[in-house]
Amino acid sequence: MTPEQKNETGGYILGVILTFALKTTIESLLSDIRPQLSAPSYIAFNLGLSLGVNFVLVLVTRRMNAQLERLLPWHSTPVRRFVIQGLVTMVLSLATAYLLVALPMELVLPSPTPSDIMERRMYLSTLIAFTLSTLYTGVYFLNQWGGSRAQVERLKQERLKAQFAALKQQLNPHFLFNSLSTLSSLLAEDPEQASQFVQKLSSVYRYVLEVTDLNVVDLRREVQALEAYAYLQQVRFGNSLQLKIVIPEESTSLFVAPLTLQILLENAIKHNVISSDKPLQVDIDVEGDNWLVLKNRIQKKYSVETGTGIGLKNIVNRYRLLDKRVVEIKETSSEFIVRIPLLNRETI
């Protein structure tokens, strides 16, 4: 049984006990509103009513709060959510109170009931219903809080995996050997470009270190880091690696998980042939309702370099924790396409 299920089960048991205890105690003190039943029948009736009402309330409260969280999340609209939450809880309480009143009237008191007794029954039922609604709303928030803490921890682990993957790729002997070989050639042929190469190499490593504690970065910063990394690869491959980035200015203030684009470009380079005969084209743009799309032509290698085993899986896992929209990965006969949801401040 999960912690959430344990909380709900505990809340349900407590709710049944509270309903039974409150109803039985108050009706004992105010005997005129007590259903006229024998002691065993009365206890059985109140227990059955307590079990049924609480079961319905557990289901209704869970659905109601999930819907409110989707429409009015606490972190973005706290005041409005507080007001709406209170109103909805009151409506739910009154509806439940009516159930607690109407059911006993119909089942055990078929004869007309005086209005003053009916009013007192309504007061009692409203008190019980409000107590139960508050209890189950509290259980829901307890589960959400626990789930949020677990989600933060999972996101932290996925972020560390991504950083490790990026660092491992950049400290990988092949990457360093290729970078140093390229730098050595540039020093002899073009010292000015060699200096720029060193600056780009430095900025790539610096970016990985700067985003160590960040769950998201703005797209502008991520693209700048990608361009530095792409520069290193394009110096190595020349015109055989073609990167085209078309991103509207208004989209650059949206957010992505750090190192997303670098990992995707690494993945494309690792799995595809890149040569003057077969240049690799990689396109990055924004489509539809804030989706960042990376496409590359498929020209698979016969043998693939040994990877970190993280790559795409890490990206999918991180976005699953960051947004309700999922990363979309599609492979056609000619293209490999990855669609990443762009995030805004309200969703992070």
Side-chain angles (χ1 to χ4, degrees), residues 25 48 50 60 66 84 100 117 127 199 221 232 246 297 307 325:
T25 300
S50 300
V60 172
I84 298 297
L100 283 169
I117 295 178
L127 171 64
Q199 291 175 10
R221 189 176 176 192
L232 302 178
V246 180
R297 193 181 303 160
R325 296 174 296 172

Side-chain angles (χ1 to χ4, degrees), residues 282-346:
V282 180
D283 296 325
I284 299 175
D285 58 17
V286 175
E287 295 180 357
D289 186 19
N290 290 335
W291 287 88
L292 183 67
V293 182
L294 181 142
K295 302 176 184 177
N296 66 265
R297 193 181 303 160
I298 293 178
Q299 39 204 48
K300 291 184 179 179
K301 292 180 179 178
Y302 291 109
S303 61
V304 179
E305 301 171 24
T306 302
T308 61
I310 297 175
L312 288 174
K313 182 179 178 181
N314 172 268
I315 292 173
V316 170
N317 288 342
R318 282 195 290 162
Y319 279 90
R320 185 179 292 122
L321 299 172
L322 285 168
D323 196 72
K324 294 178 181 178
R325 296 174 296 172
V326 297
V327 173
E328 298 176 6
I329 301 172
K330 180 180 179 182
E331 185 173 335
T332 69
S333 58
S334 60
E335 281 188 320
F336 186 78
I337 305 168
V338 182
R339 301 181 80 241
I340 303 289
L342 288 172
L343 314 173
N344 53 51
R345 291 192 180 277
E346 287 70 32

Side-chain angles (χ1 to χ4, degrees), residues 63-78:
R63 179 67 62 87
M64 175 194 75
N65 284 306
Q67 191 72 5
L68 282 175
E69 186 62 26
R70 186 179 69 83
L71 298 174
L72 297 169
W74 277 105
H75 66 270
S76 60
T77 56

